Amino acid sequence: MRFAVLVNAGPYQYQGADTAWHFTRAALDGGHDILRVFFYHDGAYNGNRLLVPPQDERNVGARWSRLAAERGLDLVVCVAAGQRRGVLDAAERRRHGKDADVLAPGFRIAGLGLLAEAAILADRFVTFG
Amino acid sequence: MPERVRKRFLYLLRRPPHGSIFAQEGLETVLIGAAFEQSVSLLFLDDGVFVLKRGQDPGEIGLKDFAKGFRALPDYDVERIYVEERSLAERGLTPADLIMDVETVSPERAGALIDAHDVVLSF
């Protein structure tokens, strides 16, 4: 089955960001396809590569990057939600004249159209947070 | 993307307009969904009914009056705009208190609507 995943929860404040990751990994382990993981609202913060949790805690952001590298995931941060929250890639940084970009490896920035597309093409659309 | 795929999208607005950004960013998502020529409907329930309340002036607290953007939705081919009637009544509101014409539905019908749509997004 082809799933599209929407993550609205930011890292650490709510469990939703964790549950989305566990769900995604479990679906892949079960032989399903994850068409796309789209990060919206505070979920955009999951794409911040500068998260530095205490060493004895999970790194919610880096965990997505690792899963994407190992399994080939399409991780998309909404451009508008990311801009509001300072989650910029190099192109966005230049476009807005900022001095830093924070998008984590394995993530890309794109418009809400990719959320609609994923929901249309997937067999199941699952929201977290 | 295959052109023939057309799904029924239902957007749930469940939170009040200015205590969080859910309703404002939710509206942005609704507009995109409609642009993809999908069947798009909205259902306001719980505190989400406050989003459509008349007479808001959030400029006083430095916020944008985005809620009036919902009035433009019929121009975007949004099919139906439903408001759950018990949520309205519990908050002392009637359809006359809202900024636009809506279709009121019972809690049971709201549940049936959710069941009848392919994709449900909740804000």
Side-chain angles (χ1 to χ4, degrees):
Chain A
M1 189 170 281
R2 284 185 309 172
F3 289 96
V5 175
L6 173 63
V7 184
N8 291 331
Y12 302 107
Q13 180 99 40
Y14 294 105
Q15 180 71 13
D18 290 82
T19 313
W21 183 85
H22 286 289
F23 174 88
T24 300
R25 190 182 58 169
L28 291 170
D29 287 346
H32 300 288
D33 292 328
I34 300 289
L35 197 67
R36 180 168 295 141
V37 184
F38 196 88
F39 296 85
Y40 198 49
H41 297 306
D42 276 1
Y45 287 128
N46 289 287
N48 182 353
R49 66 181 168 84
L50 300 181
L51 304 181
V52 188
Q55 283 191 1
D56 60 349
E57 288 184 20
R58 74 224 185 276
N59 188 322
V60 170
R63 206 163 53 173
W64 281 112
S65 293
R66 215 161 43 237
L67 195 60
E70 291 168 3
R71 314 291 283 272
L73 283 174
D74 187 17
L75 307 178
V76 177
V77 173
C78 169
V79 60
Q83 284 172 355
R84 279 198 179 96
R85 294 165 178 82
V87 180
L88 308 178
D89 63 5
E92 285 289 298
R93 164 177 64 77
R94 283 191 296 273
R95 195 154 75 87
H96 298 285
K98 298 296 184 186
D99 61 2
D101 49 79
V102 303
L103 194 72
F107 286 81
R108 63 178 173 135
I109 285 182
L112 276 167
L114 290 196
L115 171 62
E117 182 195 63
I120 293 165
L121 296 180
D123 300 311
R124 293 287 187 277
F125 174 72
V126 190
T127 303
F128 296 89
Chain B
M1 187 165 52
E3 285 179 17
R4 295 182 60 82
V5 180
R6 183 173 163 90
K7 286 192 175 177
R8 303 189 68 203
F9 278 60
L10 181 67
Y11 292 84
L12 304 182
L13 278 291
R14 305 190 62 178
R15 295 180 176 91
H18 306 299
S20 73
I21 201 166
F22 283 101
Q24 184 179 347
E25 289 190 328
L27 174 61
E28 294 173 11
T29 309
V30 174
L31 296 175
I32 294 290
F36 270 67
E37 298 186 340
Q38 302 297 299
S39 164
V40 170
S41 296
L42 276 70
L43 170 60
F44 294 81
L45 70 168
D46 301 333
D47 278 345
V49 300
F50 284 126
V51 172
L52 296 182
K53 190 177 176 303
R54 278 185 198 279
Q56 298 181 39
D57 185 12
E60 291 281 333
I61 52 171
L63 298 178
K64 194 155 74 175
D65 189 11
F66 69 91
K68 62 187 179 192
F70 283 96
R71 271 197 308 227
L73 289 180
D75 298 335
Y76 285 84
D77 291 331
V78 169
E79 308 240 333
R80 292 285 184 78
I81 298 178
Y82 304 100
V83 173
E84 195 270 298
E85 61 191 12
R86 194 167 70 191
S87 299
L88 273 182
E90 284 174 350
R91 288 159 183 81
L93 298 173
T94 71
D97 296 309
L98 306 181
I99 60 172
M100 60 194 296
D101 290 335
V102 296
E103 184 175 340
T104 55
V105 294
S106 66
E108 293 74 22
R109 172 103 170 96
L113 282 171
I114 292 169
D115 198 36
H117 284 74
D118 301 310
V119 178
V120 178
L121 291 121
S122 182
F123 295 103

